[in-house]
């Protein structure tokens, strides 16, 4: 592949997305690092309880930008309808996903032991998207709310029943 501006040959990096199912689940959960996995477990539990199919991938906007681009630009084609993206520190992941996909993107700012502002840095990164590239943002470490919001988005125009023991939403 040649770059039109710089007259150099660029070999595409292996994307490592071969494991993706051709027909995707309804919700894609992405995190920027393996170290973010635990903070996103409430989202996984919430979606499981609601019987909403989901997948989980570690894809860093900074360490694997091509992989993020490939995932985001093909997710809708695979049937994914909402993407939840959790990240800490510079937290570019939700915004980059929204740059490559028209799907609703819910960002989850995460605390990190390496954060200089205890998670405020990630929150500010996620809420300051430029006009035209929207990312919804839940609270710091608010992955459960991200899953509930995803369920409510999915409930528009069709509906998923509330999980057992919870009131059905009147839409
Ligand atoms: C962010 O940097 C990740 O989302 C994570 O929260 C943070 C630290 O990542 P690691 O250095 O632990 O991989 O991109």
């Amino acid at each position: 592949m040649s770059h039109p501006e710089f007259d150099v040959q660029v070999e595409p990096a292996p994307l490592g997305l071969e494991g993706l199912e051709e027909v995707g689940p309804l919700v894609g959960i992405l995190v920027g690092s393996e170290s973010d996995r635990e903070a996103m477990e409430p989202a996984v539990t919430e979606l499981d309880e609601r019987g909403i199919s989901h997948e989980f991938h570690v894809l860093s906007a900074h360490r694997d930008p091509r992989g993020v681009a490939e995932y985001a630009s093909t997710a809708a084609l695979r049937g994914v309808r909402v993407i939840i993206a959790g990240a800490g520190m510079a937290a570019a992941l939700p915004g980059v996903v929204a740059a490559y996909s028209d799907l609703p993107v819910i960002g989850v700012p995460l605390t990190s032991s390496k954060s200089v502002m205890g998670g405020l840095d990630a929150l500010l990164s996620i809420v300051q998207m430029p006009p035209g590239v929207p990312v919804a943002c839940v609270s710091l470490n608010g992955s459960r709310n991200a899953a509930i919001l995803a369920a409510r988005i999915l409930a528009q125009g069709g509906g998923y029943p509330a999980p057992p023991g919870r009131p059905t939403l009147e839409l």
Side-chain angles (χ1 to χ4, degrees), residues 22-100:
E22 210 168 296
V23 178
L26 290 170
V27 178
I29 303 176
L30 304 181
V31 287
S33 167
E34 193 60 49
S35 65
D36 298 326
R37 186 180 288 272
E38 193 179 338
M40 298 302 282
E41 269 168 18
V44 173
T45 303
E46 190 67 36
L47 294 175
D48 280 341
E49 281 181 17
R50 290 168 182 264
I52 296 173
S53 59
H54 54 84
E55 63 188 3
F56 193 107
H57 297 285
V58 179
L59 277 174
S60 167
H62 298 113
R63 293 167 176 152
D64 185 11
R66 290 173 196 266
V68 175
E70 169 119 344
Y71 179 88
S73 56
T74 58
L77 297 172
R78 297 169 48 243
V80 174
R81 291 181 46 203
V82 183
I83 296 176
I84 296 172
M89 298 171 79
L93 182 61
V96 174
V97 171
Y100 281 101

Side-chain angles (χ1 to χ4, degrees), residues 116-155:
V116 292
M117 294 178 78
L120 180 60
D121 38 10
L123 188 148
L124 291 175
S125 172
I126 293 173
V127 297
Q128 293 193 99
M129 288 298 293
V133 192
V135 169
C137 182
V138 294
S139 59
L140 199 57
N141 299 320
S143 68
R144 183 179 170 219
N145 267 3
I148 296 171
L149 183 55
R152 291 182 180 181
I153 292 169
L154 289 168

